[in-house]
Amino acid sequence: MNASLASVVPTTRDEDWRYADPDWLAAADPAALNRWRELAVPAGETLCETGIVEAGVDRLRVHVGRDARFALFLVNPAGPYARAEVEVTLEEGAHFEFGGVTLGGGRKRQEFVTRVFHAHPHASSNQVVRAVQWGQATGNFLGRIEVARDAQKTDAAQNFRAILLEKGAAANAKPELEIFADDVKCAHGAAIGALDRAAAFYMAARGLPPEIARKLLIRAFVADAFAAIEDAGLRERMLEQALAGLEGDVV
Amino acid sequence: MLQITNLHAEVEGKPILNGLSLTVNAGEVHAIMGPNGAGKSTLAYVLGGRPGYEVTEGSVTFDGQDLLALEPHERAAAGLFLGFQYPVEIPGVSNVQFLREALNAQRKARGEEPLSGGEFLKLAREKAGLLRLDMDMLKRSVNVGFSGGEKKRAEMVQMGILDPVFAVLDETDSGLDIDALRVVGEGINAIMRSPRKAVLLITHYQRLLDYVKPDFVHVLAKGRIVKSGGPDLALELEREGYEAVA
């Protein structure tokens, strides 16, 4: 963020904020909005962070050193507006892994915004975001990947899928790829749909009440975002934390 | 056990079942045969309670209760099993997890204690063995990456684990080679041939009936049963075709 802009509050006319909550932005304190947490992963090292996103705007800027690895896994159950923003710069051979889940109902507006700079060759990034929304809630993923001219052999992927449990819920995907190198792999995919009705009936026919069937299906769906967590116990805890947002909240 | 009276049902406003009546008693195996479009699968889905299959007239009584008043999962807990012609894939949910949750949900609905993980695995291993399905298959996601034959055997493993009193098997024989057909047929006999249980076999062909001998055979055409008989009727149909017989 440019220093001269630090005192300016963005509006939904700004591309990066187009799905944000305008009411929330109008009332926001610019100082709080523009506070970035800075992080550096030294060359060759590995850092894994997990967390629960809280209401408001959380901004993280990470520099991942040569052959280092940064993994970030977030559950975003918050509202009325909860935005987690991550800006990652990758040195040669570095890797960034991101798994994010937005899950919420009511009028919650939840989003992940990532910008990954592949500044040097042989770096890789993989981002998996899953959104589960109901009521009139919205789940967004704005993912930008920039590949510099000499960042050959970049391997970048991002995947977004959303399940809308009720009419009125929404999801937005805004993938942006800006590629200046020619020998790279960049993949992105996005899909928005409803819970699989055929699977729901199949499960009911085996005796599963709808609420348990739905929980199993949602669990399987969001699990993709945490599949890259190596520690099975941690993976399970993240899943439980994500699914906790479902309890007593879904109609 | 099951009494279907004058059942009319439609799908998306189109009438499919037109006054179907059928009584199945405990200890009996009934086969329903018929040409494509006769309403065989619709009958199975109506009995299972699939959304979109609307009953417009008639009644279905199962063990004295109004089956049509029950939700699909309540029908399962009451002892009804629907074997799917096209078993559904559920990525990310393992067979073991799915079936243990399903069995324990059924047990809970009946006021029984849940099975522990160990007890469940023992049961699953036994039933997988019966259908000669590798136990490793049950650790994988439900039906994902299964061949047609494996899906049908997995259906029967599910049936073995859930131990229903009444099974509606919708073209369980389709997609099976001759060896798998015998394994599945023997599985159905082992699981369901009992004086307190009954089976409704829906099939196009006689061949499954070589292994699972029906007590009664019915011909379904244009949404109602047009002819009923003993096992010989299936042979007659096989020989002469539906049009000649029905």
Side-chain angles (χ1 to χ4, degrees):
Chain A
M1 175 79 41
N2 190 313
S4 65
L5 294 176
S7 60
V8 176
V9 174
T11 72
T12 49
R13 282 192 297 278
D14 295 295
E15 271 301 301
D16 279 359
W17 297 83
R18 61 187 294 176
Y19 303 119
D21 181 348
D23 297 340
W24 190 93
L25 280 181
D29 166 17
L33 202 57
N34 288 304
R35 202 173 295 133
W36 288 79
R37 185 163 67 96
E38 307 269 349
L39 206 62
V41 187
E45 292 195 7
T46 293
L47 180 67
C48 177
E49 274 204 4
T50 60
I52 312 289
V53 178
E54 293 174 358
V57 174
D58 184 57
R59 309 181 95 173
L60 172 64
R61 186 176 287 134
V62 188
H63 188 96
V64 187
R66 195 182 172 120
D67 295 323
R69 179 186 167 87
F70 177 58
L72 178 66
F73 300 97
L74 297 174
V75 174
N76 185 347
Y81 178 56
R83 171 182 173 112
E85 202 173 323
V86 192
E87 200 174 284
V88 179
T89 303
L90 298 169
E91 293 281 349
E92 185 164 353
H95 179 76
F96 171 52
E97 184 77 35
F98 177 63
V101 173
T102 68
L103 188 141
R107 293 182 165 274
K108 286 177 180 174
R109 203 173 282 233
Q110 305 166 327
E111 57 189 3
F112 290 113
V113 180
T114 65
R115 280 183 295 276
V116 181
F117 302 120
H118 283 263
H120 302 277
H122 295 285
S124 54
S125 61
N126 185 47
Q127 305 176 64
V128 180
V129 175
R130 295 289 178 264
V132 180
Q133 318 293 153
W134 61 96
Q136 290 176 291
T138 304
N140 305 321
F141 178 42
L142 293 81
R144 184 177 171 86
I145 295 171
E146 291 182 27
V147 181
R149 193 172 305 277
D150 62 347
Q152 303 296 357
K153 304 289 181 192
T154 286
D155 188 347
Q158 62 173 231
N159 182 280
F160 174 69
R161 281 171 61 201
I163 284 182
L164 307 179
L165 297 177
E166 294 174 333
K167 231 177 189 150
N172 298 290
K174 189 172 178 285
E176 277 183 285
L177 306 178
E178 204 173 281
I179 303 167
F180 292 105
D182 50 19
D183 185 13
V184 303
K185 270 203 301 199
C186 284
H188 72 90
I192 299 171
L195 212 55
D196 184 343
R197 284 172 197 276
F201 174 64
Y202 188 65
M203 295 169 101
R206 297 294 172 260
L208 283 172
E211 63 277 10
I212 297 182
R214 183 166 53 198
K215 197 169 171 182
L216 277 175
L217 289 173
I218 292 173
R219 184 188 174 87
F221 177 74
V222 303
D224 293 350
F226 303 133
I229 301 178
E230 283 164 26
D231 178 341
L234 180 60
R235 194 166 60 229
E236 193 62 24
R237 283 198 297 283
M238 287 299 284
L239 258 177
E240 288 305 320
Q241 269 164 335
L243 294 170
L246 277 176
E247 299 295 338
D249 208 355
V250 181
V251 180
Chain B
M1 173 176 282
L2 184 83
Q3 187 151 26
I4 305 174
T5 309
N6 189 33
L7 188 65
H8 289 69
E10 54 184 48
V11 181
E12 291 172 353
K14 190 180 164 210
I16 310 282
L17 299 182
N18 301 300
L20 188 150
S21 296
L22 177 69
T23 299
V24 180
N25 297 307
E28 296 175 351
V29 172
H30 290 239
I32 290 202
M33 305 181 74
N36 286 322
K40 300 191 299 297
S41 287
T42 297
L43 173 62
Y45 284 141
V46 166
L47 293 176
R50 184 172 188 146
Y53 288 72
E54 202 189 333
V55 174
T56 52
E57 202 183 328
S59 65
V60 182
T61 308
F62 178 55
D63 271 343
Q65 48 187 333
D66 178 4
L67 185 74
L68 302 178
L70 302 178
E71 294 293 320
H73 67 280
E74 294 168 338
R75 300 181 193 197
L80 176 75
F81 179 88
L82 175 58
F84 282 58
Q85 184 181 359
Y86 303 108
V88 180
E89 297 184 2
I90 312 176
V93 179
S94 78
N95 283 281
V96 167
Q97 183 187 21
F98 171 50
L99 289 169
R100 190 179 162 207
E101 293 268 7
L103 178 60
N104 281 338
Q106 287 198 21
R107 293 177 68 94
K108 190 177 171 191
R110 294 191 292 257
E112 299 165 8
E113 288 294 309
L115 283 195
S116 71
E119 288 167 326
F120 176 79
L121 281 177
K122 184 163 173 276
L123 176 67
R125 201 168 285 123
E126 182 202 324
K127 302 305 176 186
L130 186 65
L131 273 303
R132 301 191 203 160
L133 192 74
D134 195 331
M135 193 59 195
D136 284 343
M137 301 277 293
L138 291 187
K139 291 173 184 158
R140 287 165 40 185
S141 291
V142 177
N143 292 318
V144 176
F146 286 26
S147 71
E150 285 166 343
K151 284 180 182 171
K152 294 305 176 71
R153 275 190 285 157
E155 286 286 282
M156 295 303 99
V157 173
Q158 294 186 12
M159 185 170 77
I161 290 169
L162 298 173
D163 193 26
V165 292
F166 184 70
V168 181
L169 304 180
D170 187 6
E171 297 201 20
T172 294
D173 50 344
S174 66
L176 295 180
D177 61 32
I178 294 169
D179 293 336
L181 189 67
R182 188 177 60 244
V183 170
V184 163
E186 288 168 357
I188 295 171
N189 289 330
I191 297 161
M192 296 304 295
R193 265 295 184 190
S194 147
R196 61 175 194 91
K197 295 181 169 187
V199 180
L200 192 58
L201 281 177
I202 294 174
T203 181
H204 270 299
Y205 305 106
Q206 149 70 24
R207 52 181 206 163
L208 178 63
L209 307 182
D210 289 339
Y211 300 102
V212 185
K213 299 271 188 244
D215 302 295
F216 301 93
V217 174
H218 311 276
V219 180
L220 186 66
K222 298 195 175 92
R224 65 166 73 95
I225 288 172
V226 293
K227 188 164 187 173
S228 296
D232 291 346
L233 179 56
L235 296 168
E236 196 184 328
L237 286 167
E238 186 84 350
R239 222 172 30 240
E240 301 178 18
Y242 292 117
E243 279 188 26
V245 174

